[in-house]
Amino acid sequence: TDHLGYEKGDPIGRALPNARNGSSPKTVQSEAGPVPLEVPRDRDGSFTPQLVPKGQRRIGGLDDMIISLYAGGMTLRDIQFHLLSTIGTDVSHETISKIVDEISDEVLSWQRRPLEPLYPVIYLDAIVVKVRDGGHVRNKAAHLAVGVDMDGIKHVLGIWVQQTEGAKFWASVCAELANRGVRDVLIVCCDGLTGFPEAIEATWPESLVQTCVVHLIRTAMRFVSYGQRKPVAAALKPIYQAADVDSARAALEAFAAS
């Protein structure tokens, strides 16, 4: 009605150059199951549906559901069977594969995006996650780089998955960040991995390498019996939460005296 400029059945439409021309049946797949539609047509074929564009066969977050299932470790065949058995939507194996491939292209573009030339702080650390590798689920190290920009906003600069964490691989991560535009970093916060500070300084010589407070506490707890770890950790808080150097030194002396 908005496209043609007159209500259905209005005689004024006879004097206008374009008019209604029936409709075409169409079935789209959605997260609620198959949805039959009647797509209206006009005489000169200039009408373009907005909610469900021409050629679109999936609506209502079905692509997001497929991506979520795939990220959860399900195979393409498993996803096809799950959609058919739960919501009655029969999506072909080829269509699911195409959706996943499109997301893979977006992920690759995100991984290679250019970065800011300066980050006041960058956090580098690895976490162990379960990853489907062929027909098995294995533990792998996801290397994360999180940068804090000049406005204090955190950004995930990249994620790299490897079998284990190592200083040699971290050196390649730093080199990749530099190639993507990071020219300088004021503070790089990392753990005490052997060779890690040298890998950072090789890329950003003027940066200050600071060991993560959490990793420092974990290292200190190795020398404390299990039953005393909680009170010792609580006693350390005034040191690393101090407002300035003098307050931290006073807190350290009080900790040593206790």
Side-chain angles (χ1 to χ4, degrees):
T1 298
D2 181 70
H3 175 72
L4 296 177
Y6 70 94
E7 295 288 341
K8 184 176 182 179
D10 193 335
I12 195 175
R14 300 172 184 173
L16 297 177
N18 197 11
R20 286 171 169 78
N21 190 30
S23 61
S24 300
K26 178 180 178 178
T27 300
V28 294
Q29 304 295 339
S30 74
E31 57 186 349
V35 179
L37 301 177
E38 293 292 336
V39 182
R41 300 179 305 197
D42 57 348
R43 295 284 183 181
D44 59 13
S46 59
F47 173 66
T48 301
Q50 298 298 313
L51 295 180
V52 184
K54 292 181 179 179
Q56 182 172 335
R57 294 290 178 178
R58 302 183 306 275
I59 62 172
L62 186 61
D63 288 17
D64 294 338
M65 181 183 294
I66 292 174
I67 295 166
S68 176
L69 294 173
Y70 184 76
M74 296 181 66
T75 66
L76 302 186
R77 296 293 183 187
D78 290 340
I79 295 173
Q80 182 181 20
F81 175 78
H82 176 76
L83 295 176
L84 182 61
S85 61
T86 55
I87 62 176
T89 299
D90 188 10
V91 183
S92 67
H93 180 274
E94 291 74 15
T95 299
I96 297 175
S97 177
K98 182 179 179 181
I99 294 172
V100 173
D101 290 342
E102 290 175 355
I103 295 302
S104 299
D105 293 339
E106 293 185 16
V107 170
L108 187 61
S109 176
W110 177 83
Q111 290 175 334
R112 296 176 177 176
R113 76 193 190 282
L115 302 173
E116 297 291 332
L118 172 64
Y119 287 92
V121 182
I122 284 183
Y123 298 92
L124 300 177
D125 198 8
I127 59 174
V128 177
V129 295
K130 293 188 180 297
V131 178
R132 180 179 290 276
D133 185 3
H136 303 278
V137 176
R138 308 179 188 277
N139 289 333
K140 292 193 176 183
H143 298 65
L144 284 85
V146 178
V148 181
D149 63 17
M150 297 299 292
D151 297 323
I153 301 174
K154 292 182 180 180
H155 303 271
V156 177
L157 307 182
I159 303 175
W160 300 264
V161 178
Q162 289 290 314
Q163 191 65 43
T164 57
E165 181 182 10
K168 183 177 180 180
F169 182 75
W170 275 121
S172 66
V173 169
C174 294
E176 180 179 329
L177 294 175
N179 292 334
R180 289 167 56 194
V182 181
R183 296 290 173 257
D184 195 14
V185 183
L186 301 184
I187 299 175
V188 180
C189 189
C190 61
D191 59 17
L193 186 67
T194 304
F196 205 165
E198 292 76 9
I200 296 171
E201 292 171 358
T203 306
W204 302 295
E206 302 299 324
S207 64
L208 175 64
V209 179
Q210 176 178 312
T211 305
C212 172
V213 173
V214 174
H215 288 90
L216 285 174
I217 295 174
R218 287 177 181 172
T219 302
M221 290 299 106
R222 296 176 184 173
F223 304 97
V224 181
S225 62
Y226 184 80
Q228 297 296 320
R229 288 185 179 182
K230 285 187 177 181
V232 171
L236 287 172
K237 278 188 178 182
I239 302 174
Y240 61 81
Q241 290 183 343
D244 51 44
V245 177
D246 293 335
S247 300
R249 184 175 291 108
L252 177 61
E253 292 174 354
F255 174 78
S258 62

